[in-house]
mmCIF file of all heavy atoms in Angstrom:
data_model
loop_
_atom_site.group_PDB
_atom_site.id
_atom_site.type_symbol
_atom_site.label_atom_id
_atom_site.label_comp_id
_atom_site.label_asym_id
_atom_site.label_seq_id
_atom_site.Cartn_x
_atom_site.Cartn_y
_atom_site.Cartn_z
ATOM 1 N N ARG A 78 -6.229 15.834 -62.952
ATOM 2 C CA ARG A 78 -5.900 14.675 -62.508
ATOM 3 C C ARG A 78 -5.522 13.664 -63.719
ATOM 4 O O ARG A 78 -4.442 13.070 -63.705
ATOM 5 C CB ARG A 78 -7.021 13.931 -61.650
ATOM 6 C CG ARG A 78 -6.516 12.711 -60.927
ATOM 7 C CD ARG A 78 -7.746 12.196 -60.045
ATOM 8 N NE ARG A 78 -7.687 10.753 -59.956
ATOM 9 C CZ ARG A 78 -7.078 10.153 -58.933
ATOM 10 N NH1 ARG A 78 -6.578 10.812 -57.937
ATOM 11 N NH2 ARG A 78 -7.048 8.856 -58.759
ATOM 12 N N ARG A 85 2.506 11.957 -66.743
ATOM 13 C CA ARG A 85 3.529 10.984 -66.124
ATOM 14 C C ARG A 85 3.924 9.897 -67.233
ATOM 15 O O ARG A 85 4.961 9.481 -67.345
ATOM 16 C CB ARG A 85 2.820 10.319 -64.894
ATOM 17 C CG ARG A 85 2.940 11.060 -63.686
ATOM 18 C CD ARG A 85 2.791 10.154 -62.442
ATOM 19 N NE ARG A 85 1.472 9.510 -62.282
ATOM 20 C CZ ARG A 85 0.422 10.201 -61.779
ATOM 21 N NH1 ARG A 85 0.555 11.435 -61.302
ATOM 22 N NH2 ARG A 85 -0.734 9.500 -61.683
ATOM 23 N N ASN A 97 9.104 -1.979 -57.539
ATOM 24 C CA ASN A 97 7.669 -1.734 -57.935
ATOM 25 C C ASN A 97 7.260 -2.422 -59.323
ATOM 26 O O ASN A 97 6.581 -1.726 -60.122
ATOM 27 C CB ASN A 97 7.346 -0.227 -58.088
ATOM 28 C CG ASN A 97 6.687 0.257 -56.764
ATOM 29 O OD1 ASN A 97 5.709 -0.275 -56.346
ATOM 30 N ND2 ASN A 97 7.308 1.334 -56.314
ATOM 31 N N GLU A 106 6.352 -8.339 -69.658
ATOM 32 C CA GLU A 106 5.073 -7.668 -69.627
ATOM 33 C C GLU A 106 5.073 -6.419 -68.735
ATOM 34 O O GLU A 106 4.559 -5.385 -69.091
ATOM 35 C CB GLU A 106 3.972 -8.638 -69.018
ATOM 36 C CG GLU A 106 3.699 -9.787 -69.934
ATOM 37 C CD GLU A 106 2.999 -10.954 -69.234
ATOM 38 O OE1 GLU A 106 2.925 -11.000 -68.063
ATOM 39 O OE2 GLU A 106 2.700 -11.965 -70.035
ATOM 40 N N SER A 113 1.708 -0.427 -73.676
ATOM 41 C CA SER A 113 0.362 -0.930 -73.958
ATOM 42 C C SER A 113 -0.684 -0.158 -73.397
ATOM 43 O O SER A 113 -1.888 -0.101 -73.885
ATOM 44 C CB SER A 113 0.269 -2.396 -73.541
ATOM 45 O OG SER A 113 0.175 -2.523 -72.134
ATOM 46 N N GLU A 123 7.040 -4.611 -79.582
ATOM 47 C CA GLU A 123 8.006 -5.626 -79.742
ATOM 48 C C GLU A 123 9.308 -5.098 -80.206
ATOM 49 O O GLU A 123 10.445 -5.376 -79.643
ATOM 50 C CB GLU A 123 7.553 -6.779 -80.686
ATOM 51 C CG GLU A 123 6.432 -7.601 -80.182
ATOM 52 C CD GLU A 123 6.870 -8.708 -79.188
ATOM 53 O OE1 GLU A 123 8.128 -8.779 -78.954
ATOM 54 O OE2 GLU A 123 6.098 -9.451 -78.657
ATOM 55 N N TYR A 142 9.225 -14.273 -63.983
ATOM 56 C CA TYR A 142 8.484 -13.465 -63.159
ATOM 57 C C TYR A 142 9.427 -12.817 -62.102
ATOM 58 O O TYR A 142 10.476 -13.272 -61.826
ATOM 59 C CB TYR A 142 7.408 -14.281 -62.298
ATOM 60 C CG TYR A 142 6.186 -14.577 -63.252
ATOM 61 C CD1 TYR A 142 6.278 -15.684 -64.115
ATOM 62 C CD2 TYR A 142 5.078 -13.811 -63.285
ATOM 63 C CE1 TYR A 142 5.151 -15.907 -64.930
ATOM 64 C CE2 TYR A 142 4.045 -14.026 -64.113
ATOM 65 C CZ TYR A 142 4.062 -15.130 -64.917
ATOM 66 O OH TYR A 142 3.006 -15.358 -65.805
ATOM 67 N N TYR A 144 9.536 -12.540 -58.943
ATOM 68 C CA TYR A 144 10.085 -13.250 -57.834
ATOM 69 C C TYR A 144 10.971 -14.430 -58.188
ATOM 70 O O TYR A 144 11.591 -15.131 -57.434
ATOM 71 C CB TYR A 144 8.919 -13.781 -56.927
ATOM 72 C CG TYR A 144 7.992 -14.655 -57.752
ATOM 73 C CD1 TYR A 144 8.092 -15.988 -57.881
ATOM 74 C CD2 TYR A 144 6.817 -14.076 -58.297
ATOM 75 C CE1 TYR A 144 7.312 -16.715 -58.675
ATOM 76 C CE2 TYR A 144 5.965 -14.780 -59.033
ATOM 77 C CZ TYR A 144 6.141 -16.122 -59.246
ATOM 78 O OH TYR A 144 5.233 -16.925 -59.894
ATOM 79 N N LYS B 196 0.974 -20.105 -60.192
ATOM 80 C CA LYS B 196 0.410 -19.821 -61.527
ATOM 81 C C LYS B 196 0.015 -21.188 -62.024
ATOM 82 O O LYS B 196 0.578 -22.149 -61.691
ATOM 83 C CB LYS B 196 1.489 -19.342 -62.436
ATOM 84 C CG LYS B 196 1.572 -17.834 -62.283
ATOM 85 C CD LYS B 196 2.572 -17.319 -63.381
ATOM 86 C CE LYS B 196 3.887 -18.109 -63.404
ATOM 87 N NZ LYS B 196 4.586 -18.198 -62.200
ATOM 88 N N LYS B 260 -0.726 -11.406 -79.397
ATOM 89 C CA LYS B 260 -0.126 -10.191 -78.880
ATOM 90 C C LYS B 260 -1.064 -8.967 -79.190
ATOM 91 O O LYS B 260 -1.073 -8.068 -78.327
ATOM 92 C CB LYS B 260 1.240 -9.989 -79.417
ATOM 93 C CG LYS B 260 2.154 -11.104 -79.126
ATOM 94 C CD LYS B 260 3.555 -10.669 -79.133
ATOM 95 C CE LYS B 260 4.454 -11.588 -78.333
ATOM 96 N NZ LYS B 260 5.162 -12.568 -79.153
ATOM 97 N N TYR B 263 -3.514 -9.081 -76.433
ATOM 98 C CA TYR B 263 -2.909 -9.096 -75.033
ATOM 99 C C TYR B 263 -2.252 -7.794 -74.730
ATOM 100 O O TYR B 263 -2.216 -7.390 -73.610
ATOM 101 C CB TYR B 263 -2.018 -10.283 -74.984
ATOM 102 C CG TYR B 263 -1.469 -10.564 -73.577
ATOM 103 C CD1 TYR B 263 -2.274 -10.538 -72.440
ATOM 104 C CD2 TYR B 263 -0.130 -10.718 -73.361
ATOM 105 C CE1 TYR B 263 -1.858 -10.769 -71.229
ATOM 106 C CE2 TYR B 263 0.389 -10.941 -72.134
ATOM 107 C CZ TYR B 263 -0.525 -10.901 -71.018
ATOM 108 O OH TYR B 263 -0.056 -11.212 -69.785
ATOM 109 N N TYR B 264 -1.641 -7.256 -75.713
ATOM 110 C CA TYR B 264 -0.805 -5.973 -75.470
ATOM 111 C C TYR B 264 -1.696 -4.767 -75.330
ATOM 112 O O TYR B 264 -1.128 -3.684 -75.009
ATOM 113 C CB TYR B 264 0.252 -5.800 -76.569
ATOM 114 C CG TYR B 264 1.441 -6.664 -76.397
ATOM 115 C CD1 TYR B 264 1.450 -7.716 -75.454
ATOM 116 C CD2 TYR B 264 2.586 -6.477 -77.239
ATOM 117 C CE1 TYR B 264 2.529 -8.557 -75.288
ATOM 118 C CE2 TYR B 264 3.626 -7.355 -77.120
ATOM 119 C CZ TYR B 264 3.611 -8.390 -76.159
ATOM 120 O OH TYR B 264 4.719 -9.193 -76.020
ATOM 121 N N GLY B 266 -3.365 -2.374 -73.277
ATOM 122 C CA GLY B 266 -2.951 -2.162 -71.897
ATOM 123 C C GLY B 266 -3.886 -2.861 -70.791
ATOM 124 O O GLY B 266 -3.397 -3.563 -69.874
ATOM 125 N N MET B 563 0.891 1.271 -57.934
ATOM 126 C CA MET B 563 2.036 1.255 -58.798
ATOM 127 C C MET B 563 1.605 1.698 -60.237
ATOM 128 O O MET B 563 2.201 2.504 -60.905
ATOM 129 C CB MET B 563 2.712 -0.093 -58.794
ATOM 130 C CG MET B 563 4.040 -0.071 -59.377
ATOM 131 S SD MET B 563 4.058 -1.190 -60.707
ATOM 132 C CE MET B 563 3.817 -0.137 -62.138
ATOM 133 N N ASP B 571 -7.715 7.182 -64.578
ATOM 134 C CA ASP B 571 -8.876 6.642 -63.801
ATOM 135 C C ASP B 571 -9.774 5.737 -64.607
ATOM 136 O O ASP B 571 -10.310 4.702 -64.235
ATOM 137 C CB ASP B 571 -9.714 7.779 -63.242
ATOM 138 C CG ASP B 571 -9.001 8.575 -62.138
ATOM 139 O OD1 ASP B 571 -7.879 8.130 -61.812
ATOM 140 O OD2 ASP B 571 -9.465 9.584 -61.715
#
Side-chain angles (χ1 to χ4, degrees):
Chain A
R78 193 179 150 91
R85 282 204 290 278
N97 261 312
E106 289 161 359
S113 73
E123 290 278 358
Y142 284 82
Y144 54 87
Chain B
K196 277 184 315 298
K260 297 205 164 102
Y263 188 48
Y264 284 5
M563 195 237 96
D571 292 353

